[in-house]
Amino acid sequence: MNKTVHQLKAVASAIIPGLGQVFNKQFWKALVFFFLFVLFVGVELGSSRYFAKYDSYVKVVNDPNSGVGVLYPDSFARGFYSLYRFQVDSDEIDALDTFDAFYAVESVDDDGFTMRDLIDFTAIDILAHSTPRYFLLFDDLVVTANAARTSDTGVIDEVNDLIIGEDDAAIAAKNFYRILTGFTVYNVGGQEYYTIGSEQTADIYINVNDPNDTLAEIPSGADAYYRTGVLFYDDVTDKVYVKCTKSISVTSTANYRYVNVADSTDFLEPDDALVDDLKELTVKGNIVVDDAGMLYVQFVPEIDYRKDAGYNATAFSIYLRNYITQRYNLSTSSLTSKEYNRFLLEVYFSVHPELRTEFEESYYNWFHDTAGFFVKGFWSVVTLGQSDTREYYYNSLHDALKSVRFTEGSAVYIPVSGILDYTPLIGHTSQFLLISGLISTLLFAYFLLIYVWGIIDAHNTSKKFAETGERITDRAWFVNVFNHGFEYIMILPALFVITFISIMPIIFGFLIAFTNFSGFDTDTGRFVWVGFDNFARIFTFGEGIPFAETFWKVLLWTVIWAIFSTVTVFFGGMFQAVVIGSERVPFKKFWRTVLILPWAVPALISQMAFSIIFSERGVINALLRSAGIYDTLTRWGMLGTAWSESALSAWQKFLWLGQDNIQWFNNAHNVWFVRIVLIVVNIWLGAPYFMALMTSIMTSIDRTLYEAADIDGATPSQKFKFITFPLIMYSTSPILVMTFSGNFNNFGVIYFITQGGSGAGDIDRAYAGSTDILISWMYTLTVTKRVYNMASVFSILIFLMVGSIAAWNFSQTRAFKED
């Protein structure tokens, strides 16, 4: 029975933290657990919108990059209709029957005539006058004294027009071909030909008036000239001409001829008197020719939601855009272009209701937009977001609705500036979501720890009271926690801070390896979980960017670099320490001071100095040339010979140092020479440290050991072999392991001296240069190329390799075994 009571109190604390403590009559302790629970719930509810209605359009309005504001209020629509009704009744304008009929239906709703109604009718009206179709060019022209253009009334000719989607069979029977402009043509036998080509096929020359007439090549001496995009109309003969030009010098061109778009053999010379009577032609759409030589206009407002010809203006849309422009021109107006852009976006959504549905569904996510800090955080880590960055183009509405300058009576109204072609909408940023999700998850872990602690405490306190009959008071409990957990209480603030400034970034970097976080767009966009795909890429050869081939090459060089750079600096420093420690060497303090200077000077300065000194025109090459060493190297074939993959033998390639100068750090053809030079240069930077370290160790060795060796007749080499060297190794083995790890990640020497070597940043080398080690390659991948996922994979592998090798080596040292 008692066991059940203990469990019930634990369950009570699980349901309401602190409730079990209340049953145990520990009210202050209960208050603490309950307060922390309330704090957790308060953070979740306070950061949520659980009790508020969310509007997807808030994202558009609040995004500073979108340039879109709030929608005009319903009073705006009612004011528009009032003015329209007044001007119709006073015979200032003609009535718009379709609008009146629409208003009569919508105005009787409970909300009356709203902005949404005005937007919906605008879309209906524009669509009714912008049917995708083929229409006869000359039947639709508006001709003035100097120009001609296709009208944009959108009135359909039931007899001659061919509606796209309805008359597709008739359209196919016409065998339309498009009039092309903006390219060079070749005149062969009076016909014009243009060229197309690809990597797979040779050039093909196609007749501009007959796609079935092709040539494999253009005869020598064929006349070539350029077809511009400028069209002219002859209203006497109903012909359309395209202006052609010809280059007369590198910087100038001259009019060459005016060619009939339907017949290349029919053209006008620039000095022909008829040219002066031509009217410049503006066509909304594309001119096409049928097999009978008739000119049509292919009118398509949009292709894949992008502008092609654009929607036609209507009497209603012109009246509406002028009304909006007038409102903006009022001295008391507070409207900006952002509201106008919002209006255009809303009309565009009404033209394409499927886009409105997509927007409202895609850019509202319950977890992201409604849930609180912790629930949203869990969702963020699991999904990394669901909405992509999107651009909604509405420039196809500009002919119909964009504000333009107009005059009414004596008043001149200026157009609204700042009208955009599209609205960019930033979706979920996975990088931000993952970071914020990790923060909330780690913070939740602290609350969960306290929550579990409260459950266990309620159970154990009840059990202890049943066993001893003594009830622990709140004061005694707090004192006990303080006395027995003082160390943990003191370290808790530091641990809390470390969690978010150290542990969280480490987890973030680790998780990136399991995503496709790569490229410049993903910095502000979305990426997804890909599991172990990135790790599989280092074993997948011959596909895409050669990460696999490059990784194993770079890894091999990194291991070689780490081993040899460690061994050389270690024994170089040991050699210096032994020599200076010899009794035969005078001025020991002076020599120690001189030899420690390379280590005392900041490494970056030394590295940059070496980069300059060993450049092709640097001091070292100048000295070698002056000393005659260049002549000797030239006789041996190591200099003065151009690199040739086929002409040089393997031995000559290995000894090739450059053509005109020794290429110490940028020899793209003999990378192992550069790598060896780097290892040698690193001795200068690393050996002084070991010299100082080993000098200190050697001076601390008990002198009686050497005295005993002298008594036994040991030679200096024997004393070094059996006394000095073992004691040095015993003391420096852990440091030797650390030096190996440090050289494995020795970014400075590689990057600041060679910048990664030849080929660094090339995509066909997976951005790794000839001297790059893993750490410098990772720098290029992250900072320059932003291939974060693969860089994270390599960082994990470096940690596993270096950590495992360092731990194993350290465990084998006597210092570790005797500890």
Side-chain angles (χ1 to χ4, degrees), residues 628-639:
I629 296 177
Y630 261 42
D631 297 333
T632 302
L633 295 175
T634 302
R635 287 195 301 271
W636 291 350
M638 300 169 70
L639 279 176

Side-chain angles (χ1 to χ4, degrees), residues 430-696:
S430 296
Q431 181 180 183
F432 171 78
L433 290 178
L434 182 55
I435 293 174
S436 60
L438 288 175
I439 292 173
S440 64
T441 302
L442 291 172
L443 189 59
F444 172 78
Y446 279 98
F447 281 110
L448 183 62
L449 181 64
I450 297 171
Y451 175 77
V452 173
W453 179 21
I455 296 173
I456 296 174
D457 176 80
H459 179 274
N460 290 344
T461 301
S462 178
K463 182 178 179 181
K464 188 172 184 179
F465 174 74
E467 292 173 351
T468 64
E470 296 181 6
R471 190 179 306 280
I472 302 175
T473 64
D474 288 332
R475 179 182 178 83
W477 181 80
F478 283 113
V479 171
N480 182 63
V481 169
F482 183 80
N483 290 336
H484 291 84
F486 177 78
E487 299 86 353
Y488 301 104
I489 294 173
M490 291 298 101
I491 202 174
L492 186 60
L495 178 63
F496 187 81
V497 173
I498 290 173
T499 299
F500 296 104
I501 66 174
S502 295
I503 297 176
M504 190 275 292
I506 291 173
I507 297 175
F508 175 80
F510 176 82
L511 293 178
I512 289 301
F514 301 91
T515 71
N516 66 339
F517 187 16
S518 177
F520 291 85
D521 293 339
T522 49
D523 281 351
T524 56
R526 197 166 69 89
F527 50 84
V528 298
W529 295 111
V530 296
F532 289 91
D533 289 357
N534 295 324
F535 292 88
R537 292 178 73 179
I538 64 176
F539 300 100
T540 305
F541 298 87
E543 295 184 9
I545 301 176
F547 284 110
E549 296 89 339
T550 304
F551 170 76
W552 295 106
K553 292 177 182 178
V554 174
L555 176 61
L556 175 62
W557 160 234
T558 303
V559 172
I560 294 173
W561 159 260
I563 293 174
F564 280 91
S565 58
T566 301
V567 170
T568 52
V569 299
F570 181 83
F571 287 102
M574 180 184 293
F575 175 77
Q576 290 176 340
V578 170
V579 170
I580 294 175
S582 174
E583 297 177 355
R584 299 179 182 181
V585 176
F587 309 115
K588 289 181 172 54
K589 292 183 179 180
F590 171 77
W591 293 117
R592 288 194 187 105
T593 303
V594 171
L595 293 176
I596 202 66
L597 284 177
W599 182 65
V601 174
L604 177 60
I605 296 192
S606 298
Q607 291 157 4
M608 295 181 67
F610 274 110
S611 179
I612 296 172
I613 292 171
F614 282 88
S615 64
E616 284 197 57
R617 300 184 182 277
V619 176
I620 298 298
N621 280 345
L623 291 175
L624 295 178
R625 187 185 297 275
S626 300
I629 296 177
Y630 261 42
D631 297 333
T632 302
L633 295 175
T634 302
R635 287 195 301 271
W636 291 350
M638 300 169 70
L639 279 176
T641 304
W643 175 266
S644 174
E645 192 69 38
S646 58
L648 297 179
S649 65
W651 183 249
Q652 288 175 314
K653 292 176 184 177
F654 181 76
L655 296 177
W656 195 82
L657 304 182
Q659 183 171 348
D660 300 321
N661 294 289
I662 299 177
Q663 299 173 346
W664 298 97
F665 295 135
N666 60 346
N667 193 329
H669 304 297
N670 193 351
V671 295
W672 281 107
F673 167 70
V674 178
R675 292 170 176 177
I676 293 171
V677 172
L678 279 173
I679 293 173
V680 173
V681 167
N682 190 60
I683 298 175
W684 167 271
L685 301 171
Y689 168 76
F690 279 95
M691 180 210 69
L693 179 65
M694 293 178 186
T695 298
S696 176

Side-chain angles (χ1 to χ4, degrees), residues 134-142 148-151 161 231-233 238-240 261 281-284 286-288 294-298:
Y134 289 83
F135 59 85
L136 287 168
L137 172 63
F138 301 129
D139 290 353
D140 194 72
L141 284 181
V142 177
R149 62 177 177 84
T150 54
S151 69
D161 287 3
L231 300 176
F232 291 91
Y233 171 60
D238 270 352
K239 293 180 181 180
V240 175
V261 296
L281 175 64
T282 303
V283 178
K284 189 172 183 179
N286 302 305
I287 297 180
V288 295
M294 297 291 292
L295 297 181
Y296 282 77
V297 174
Q298 178 196 43

